Amino acid sequence: MDFTPSEEQAAAQGLAARIFGDLSTHERLTAAGTGTDAELWKELCAAGLPAAVEDVGLLGLVLILEEQGRTTAQVPLAATCVYGLLAVAAHGAPEQRECLLPGLRDGTAVATGAFPARGGVHIAEDGALYGTVPWVPWLRDATHVLVADAERGLWIVRTGEPDVTAVPVETTAPWSAGRLVLDGVRGERLGNGQPGAYADVLATARTAFAGLQAGVCAGSLTRAVHHTVTREQFGRPLSTNQGVLLRAADAHMDTEAIRVTAYEAAWRHDERRACEAQALTAAWWASEAGKRVVHAGQHLHGGTGADLDHPVHRHFLWGRQLDAYLGCGGEVLEELGLLLARGSQEGAS
């Protein structure tokens, strides 16, 4: 097992770090409000970062998303890559790849996913899709939505169709989310409906968003370290207090646990090895450890951390959103337990 980035992966991460560091500033994020930074998205697409994901793989995407998480940049990068580029490239029919991938690569098309399947979307006898998904990230920006029906079939739905309604919804993190209402729309089945496509896309999404959470936590911890080193109390820096040191050390270890489990799941996915259990493990760490880290980051800022306009509060909001997205810790742990038990039973038989 080797998580050392390839030359292409390291270059993509470095480019992402530079673009996010230069453009995703506190002032720009404040100006964007709850919407997307359209200019930043154009810059990322012009630099070829979304298109590069097909070459650098899921591990490369995790490295890029870490850099987005450090700055909480408001762009639909994770959703477009996971539910668009990687899903269509892996499971789409040849004509779907030819039609959809060029727009997803250059940013003229934006994808998102109505995941996980919770029974909200059903197929009528005539093949039309009906149902409501309470919230979908980046739906307000999306041109295409990958919808998982109650039977875990995958459908490509264009948001411009008359039978598709996207109602803006405000969530903890400013992800341009919306409520998706399908009223008899004719979706296009992804590929040939091959078994395992839903599980693969969900595992990919959990891994990618765990990488995003690793970046969010790293950014929160960096801000907390800077604050405690530069702020003095009773004539000495806050960082010299043992309680502060221990809290920051625990947050660092939690962040590393999120990162390394996301790397393992991504590496196994790229090597075409079984990775569902590893993706669930990464998702559990992203949920349980992620919320500990962003709480610690805010707490270590003292009264400053209670300021809703302070940059660290944005990390807190993102961390709590990622804590529950695609399944909170308890749900993910139950799913992992069932998966391991099923594997043990199959091995015994």
Short mmCIF file of all heavy atoms in Angstrom, two decimals, residues 127-129 155-158 185-189:
data_model
loop_
_atom_site.label_atom_id
_atom_site.label_comp_id
_atom_site.label_asym_id
_atom_site.label_seq_id
_atom_site.Cartn_x
_atom_site.Cartn_y
_atom_site.Cartn_z
N GLY A 127 -42.36 4.22 -16.60
CA GLY A 127 -40.94 4.51 -16.58
C GLY A 127 -40.57 5.91 -16.14
O GLY A 127 -39.38 6.25 -16.09
N ALA A 128 -41.56 6.73 -15.80
CA ALA A 128 -41.28 8.09 -15.35
C ALA A 128 -40.88 8.09 -13.87
O ALA A 128 -41.23 7.19 -13.11
CB ALA A 128 -42.50 8.98 -15.56
N LEU A 129 -40.14 9.11 -13.47
CA LEU A 129 -39.65 9.24 -12.10
C LEU A 129 -40.51 10.23 -11.32
O LEU A 129 -40.81 11.34 -11.80
CB LEU A 129 -38.21 9.73 -12.09
CG LEU A 129 -37.16 8.82 -12.74
CD1 LEU A 129 -35.81 9.51 -12.79
CD2 LEU A 129 -37.05 7.49 -12.00
N TRP A 155 -30.19 7.27 -12.44
CA TRP A 155 -30.79 7.98 -13.56
C TRP A 155 -30.16 9.36 -13.71
O TRP A 155 -29.92 10.05 -12.71
CB TRP A 155 -32.29 8.14 -13.35
CG TRP A 155 -33.02 6.86 -13.15
CD1 TRP A 155 -33.15 6.16 -11.98
CD2 TRP A 155 -33.69 6.09 -14.15
NE1 TRP A 155 -33.88 5.01 -12.19
CE2 TRP A 155 -34.22 4.94 -13.52
CE3 TRP A 155 -33.91 6.27 -15.51
CZ2 TRP A 155 -34.95 3.99 -14.21
CZ3 TRP A 155 -34.63 5.32 -16.21
CH2 TRP A 155 -35.15 4.19 -15.56
N ILE A 156 -29.91 9.75 -14.95
CA ILE A 156 -29.42 11.09 -15.23
C ILE A 156 -30.63 11.97 -15.56
O ILE A 156 -31.38 11.68 -16.49
CB ILE A 156 -28.44 11.09 -16.41
CG1 ILE A 156 -27.25 10.19 -16.11
CG2 ILE A 156 -27.98 12.52 -16.72
CD1 ILE A 156 -26.35 9.95 -17.30
N VAL A 157 -30.79 13.02 -14.76
CA VAL A 157 -31.93 13.93 -14.93
C VAL A 157 -31.39 15.31 -15.23
O VAL A 157 -30.51 15.81 -14.51
CB VAL A 157 -32.82 13.94 -13.67
CG1 VAL A 157 -33.88 15.03 -13.77
CG2 VAL A 157 -33.45 12.58 -13.46
N ARG A 158 -31.92 15.94 -16.25
CA ARG A 158 -31.53 17.31 -16.58
C ARG A 158 -32.42 18.29 -15.83
O ARG A 158 -33.65 18.17 -15.89
CB ARG A 158 -31.60 17.53 -18.10
CG ARG A 158 -30.51 16.80 -18.85
CD ARG A 158 -30.71 16.81 -20.35
NE ARG A 158 -29.53 16.29 -21.06
CZ ARG A 158 -29.23 15.01 -21.17
NH1 ARG A 158 -30.02 14.09 -20.60
NH2 ARG A 158 -28.14 14.62 -21.82
N VAL A 185 -40.79 12.98 -14.65
CA VAL A 185 -39.74 13.25 -15.61
C VAL A 185 -39.20 11.94 -16.18
O VAL A 185 -39.14 10.91 -15.49
CB VAL A 185 -38.61 14.06 -14.95
CG1 VAL A 185 -37.89 13.23 -13.88
CG2 VAL A 185 -37.61 14.55 -16.00
N ARG A 186 -38.79 11.98 -17.44
CA ARG A 186 -38.20 10.82 -18.09
C ARG A 186 -36.69 10.90 -17.94
O ARG A 186 -36.00 11.60 -18.67
CB ARG A 186 -38.57 10.80 -19.57
CG ARG A 186 -40.05 10.64 -19.83
CD ARG A 186 -40.47 9.20 -19.64
NE ARG A 186 -41.91 9.03 -19.88
CZ ARG A 186 -42.52 7.85 -19.90
NH1 ARG A 186 -41.80 6.75 -19.69
NH2 ARG A 186 -43.81 7.77 -20.09
N GLY A 187 -36.15 10.21 -16.95
CA GLY A 187 -34.72 10.20 -16.75
C GLY A 187 -34.04 9.25 -17.71
O GLY A 187 -34.68 8.40 -18.34
N GLU A 188 -32.75 9.40 -17.83
CA GLU A 188 -31.94 8.53 -18.69
C GLU A 188 -31.13 7.61 -17.79
O GLU A 188 -30.32 8.07 -16.99
CB GLU A 188 -31.02 9.40 -19.56
CG GLU A 188 -30.13 8.61 -20.49
CD GLU A 188 -29.20 9.51 -21.30
OE1 GLU A 188 -29.39 10.75 -21.26
OE2 GLU A 188 -28.28 8.96 -21.93
N ARG A 189 -31.37 6.32 -17.92
CA ARG A 189 -30.65 5.38 -17.05
C ARG A 189 -29.15 5.45 -17.33
O ARG A 189 -28.72 5.47 -18.47
CB ARG A 189 -31.16 3.95 -17.27
CG ARG A 189 -30.51 2.95 -16.31
CD ARG A 189 -31.07 1.56 -16.49
NE ARG A 189 -32.42 1.45 -15.95
CZ ARG A 189 -32.69 1.20 -14.69
NH1 ARG A 189 -31.70 1.06 -13.80
NH2 ARG A 189 -33.95 1.08 -14.29
#
